[in-house]
Amino acid sequence: MTILADDTIARALALVSESFVTASGPGGQNVNKVATAVQLRLDVYALRLPIEVFARLKLLAGSRMTSKGELLLIAQRHRTQEANRQDARVRLGELIEEAFKIPEKRAKSRLNRINKTQRLEGKKLRGSVKAGRGKVQMD
């Protein structure tokens, strides 16, 4: 993890706003009474991310990013508020850390002449098999 990513995660955790809502799933008798699920909201524009990092974060966040530039994470895996709160903060940190990683460029594969001819012969053979599956003509 880079120093820049660490600083950004620390800033994000300071800027985040939390709200607690009732969660679905396990919880026993308390499931409808106690607000254990955590909603984290973060204004991504306030982080002042580099353009490339912001673009990767937006792509990684997907539907969790609102049109106003807010990142919304909901954590409800655990039965307690504190465990869900910690889980949401960890997931936020991982998301930001992943956005800072520069993806490796894919090297184009090269086929030699023999492999190319074998591939084309295989395609022709497969095409002739499929062509023979049509309706039988009685001429």
Side-chain angles (χ1 to χ4, degrees), residues 1-13 47 49-50 53 56 92-102:
M1 189 169 6
T2 65
I3 295 171
L4 191 58
D6 285 339
D7 292 343
T8 305
I9 292 170
R11 261 195 341 247
L13 292 175
L47 291 178
L49 294 172
V53 176
R56 282 194 295 270
L92 176 66
E94 289 171 352
L95 195 63
I96 293 172
E97 188 179 326
E98 190 66 30
F100 271 93
K101 289 182 184 172
I102 299 170

Side-chain angles (χ1 to χ4, degrees), residues 45-106:
Y45 295 125
L47 291 178
R48 306 267 187 235
L49 294 172
I51 295 168
E52 317 83 50
V53 176
F54 176 78
R56 282 194 295 270
L57 181 63
K58 190 173 179 181
L59 190 68
L60 287 168
S63 63
R64 293 176 289 191
M65 179 89 77
T66 65
S67 58
K68 295 179 184 175
E70 283 186 331
L71 184 63
L72 178 67
L73 287 176
I74 300 170
Q76 58 183 9
R77 290 182 194 162
H78 306 286
R79 290 183 180 214
T80 63
Q81 251 185 16
E82 192 53 42
N84 282 329
R85 186 172 180 249
Q86 193 62 31
D87 181 40
R89 287 172 168 265
V90 166
R91 285 177 29 210
L92 176 66
E94 289 171 352
L95 195 63
I96 293 172
E97 188 179 326
E98 190 66 30
F100 271 93
K101 289 182 184 172
I102 299 170
E104 291 183 19
K105 296 205 174 181
R106 183 185 170 276

Side-chain angles (χ1 to χ4, degrees), residues 120-133:
L120 292 175
E121 285 172 9
K123 286 169 73 90
K124 284 180 186 172
L125 181 68
R126 193 76 191 134
S128 66
V129 167
K130 288 185 174 188
R133 291 186 185 154

